[in-house]
Amino acid sequence: MKVGKAGESITWIYYSNSTLHLYGNGAISFGQTANDQPWKEFRNDIMNIFIQEGITGIQKEAFSGSVTVKTIQLPNGLKNIGEKSFEGLLSLKEVTIPMTVNSIGNGPFSDCVSLETIIVEDGNTNYQSVENVLFTNSMNELIQYPGNKEGKEY
């Protein structure tokens, strides 16, 4: 087990079962890029990411390059998902965006080549999922097309 901080009031714990658990209040933050991730030494071993309620934001590239991640649990109360936050999670197949998310940066799941399903919880007034593709609620902007969704056009 390894413990550290990712912002003023966010604690992370990496367990030997390949799980990264984050808890606290406020936004996950550190440095500027994926190279500054406090859990960088475990990046190629993380299989599960659990983010607890109380965390309201995920900075850009927060989990980028964690190639073995299979599951992500995003909390109710999450408001912001930064640019390329989950880029390159090669084993991720499905993700659910909480109803409280009101801001998503560019390419949040880019290069997630196994991603088939993006679900947006009912009640989200800013985003929606149509046929597992992430759009703004107005349908004016396609935010993310899953990397392993059949067909390459929408």
Side-chain angles (χ1 to χ4, degrees):
M1 181 171 75
K2 177 92 178 196
V3 178
K5 293 292 230 179
E8 286 185 29
S9 60
I10 306 298
T11 299
W12 63 269
I13 303 171
Y14 177 75
Y15 295 96
S16 59
N17 68 353
S18 300
T19 297
L20 180 65
H21 190 130
L22 295 101
Y23 65 93
N25 293 298
I28 296 169
S29 64
F30 54 83
Q32 295 296 313
T33 69
N35 288 330
D36 300 318
Q37 294 169 346
W39 43 81
K40 180 180 165 185
E41 68 182 286
F42 308 110
R43 188 165 51 194
N44 293 328
D45 300 317
I46 300 168
M47 294 180 71
N48 308 294
I49 298 173
F50 294 106
I51 302 172
Q52 295 284 49
E53 285 191 36
I55 294 180
T56 57
I58 300 171
Q59 86 161 50
K60 76 173 193 166
E61 299 182 24
F63 303 99
S64 180
S66 299
V67 297
T68 55
V69 170
K70 292 183 179 189
T71 61
I72 299 171
Q73 178 182 324
L74 299 175
N76 287 327
L78 183 67
K79 297 178 188 293
N80 305 305
I81 298 174
E83 178 180 346
K84 298 182 180 180
S85 289
F86 301 100
E87 175 187 38
L89 278 60
L90 304 180
S91 301
L92 183 66
K93 292 187 178 196
E94 181 178 311
V95 66
T96 299
I97 308 293
M99 66 182 278
T100 53
V101 172
N102 59 30
S103 174
I104 299 176
N106 292 330
F109 305 100
S110 58
D111 298 324
C112 292
V113 297
S114 296
L115 187 62
E116 298 171 347
T117 306
I118 300 173
I119 298 167
V120 177
E121 286 184 345
D122 289 341
N124 188 308
T125 59
N126 296 287
Y127 299 97
Q128 65 175 303
S129 177
V130 177
E131 296 180 21
N132 299 313
V133 178
L134 179 61
F135 291 93
T136 56
N137 206 36
S138 64
M139 296 289 291
N140 288 338
E141 185 179 355
L142 186 152
I143 304 298
Q144 189 73 59
Y145 192 93
N148 197 28
K149 180 173 172 50
E150 284 205 23
K152 295 298 175 195
E153 295 181 13
Y154 196 83

